[in-house]
Amino acid sequence: MSQYFDVGEETLWNPSHGASRLFRRQVPVFESELGFRSGIGPMVNDECQIDPVAFETFVNALLAQHRRTSHAIVLALSEGFTATVLVLAERAGITIDWAHLGAAPDGPLEDVQVSASTGMSTAAEGGAWGAGLREKARELSRRMPR
């Protein structure tokens, strides 16, 4: 059995129940952290509608938050969810402004990890940050059934 994540009549993802359940349980965590609705609706009869307008706002907020942190644990915990959201965003036709996101983060860094050797935060360079996340999303996209 599987479930469907759709925008209108277009299916973006058709995961197993287990993958769907785990993903959907993470959605409210990130909604709470970001202060934005995700646009990912409830699962009804194995179908979930995604509001593309709300989802675009959520995706951009999620990426901006991800860019502002250098904490290894926060990044490790959020990277899989963020990469999955990127695949859905791409399939929904949402354009990501990687150049803007790769620039210096908007606002202060959050959840920084202090280096033991220098005592300074070690934020990733813009290109490296975006490249790693995009590669993870590309890898997932090949494994995520529509």
Side-chain angles (χ1 to χ4, degrees):
M1 296 299 263
S2 60
Q3 298 186 322
Y4 297 86
F5 289 80
D6 300 329
V7 170
E9 296 296 316
E10 182 180 358
T11 297
L12 305 180
W13 186 27
N14 179 226
S16 68
H17 280 210
S20 173
R21 185 177 53 251
L22 186 59
F23 176 75
R24 286 182 295 108
R25 286 183 175 166
Q26 291 180 52
V27 169
V29 170
F30 286 92
E31 286 176 330
S32 177
E33 286 293 311
L34 298 171
F36 288 101
R37 282 185 340 104
S38 66
I40 298 171
M43 189 61 68
V44 179
N45 297 324
D46 290 331
E47 295 181 0
C48 172
Q49 280 293 321
I50 299 174
D51 172 350
V53 174
F55 190 55
E56 182 171 8
T57 300
F58 179 78
V59 169
N60 285 312
L62 180 64
L63 291 172
Q65 179 206 39
H66 199 270
R67 176 70 176 111
R68 286 190 308 267
T69 186
S70 66
H71 197 288
I73 301 303
V74 171
L75 292 171
L77 289 170
S78 64
E79 189 173 75
F81 178 82
T82 303
T84 303
V85 165
L86 278 176
V87 173
L88 294 175
E90 178 182 291
R91 291 178 179 180
I94 294 170
T95 302
I96 306 298
D97 187 352
W98 288 102
H100 174 73
L101 287 166
D106 292 337
L109 293 178
E110 299 173 359
D111 291 316
V112 296
Q113 186 163 343
V114 177
S115 167
S117 61
T118 65
M120 302 293 290
S121 168
T122 55
E125 293 296 320
W129 168 83
L133 195 53
R134 290 163 81 174
E135 180 55 35
K136 180 80 169 171
R138 277 191 294 274
E139 178 184 320
L140 278 179
S141 183
R142 290 190 292 271
R143 299 170 187 264
M144 287 175 62
R146 286 186 182 242

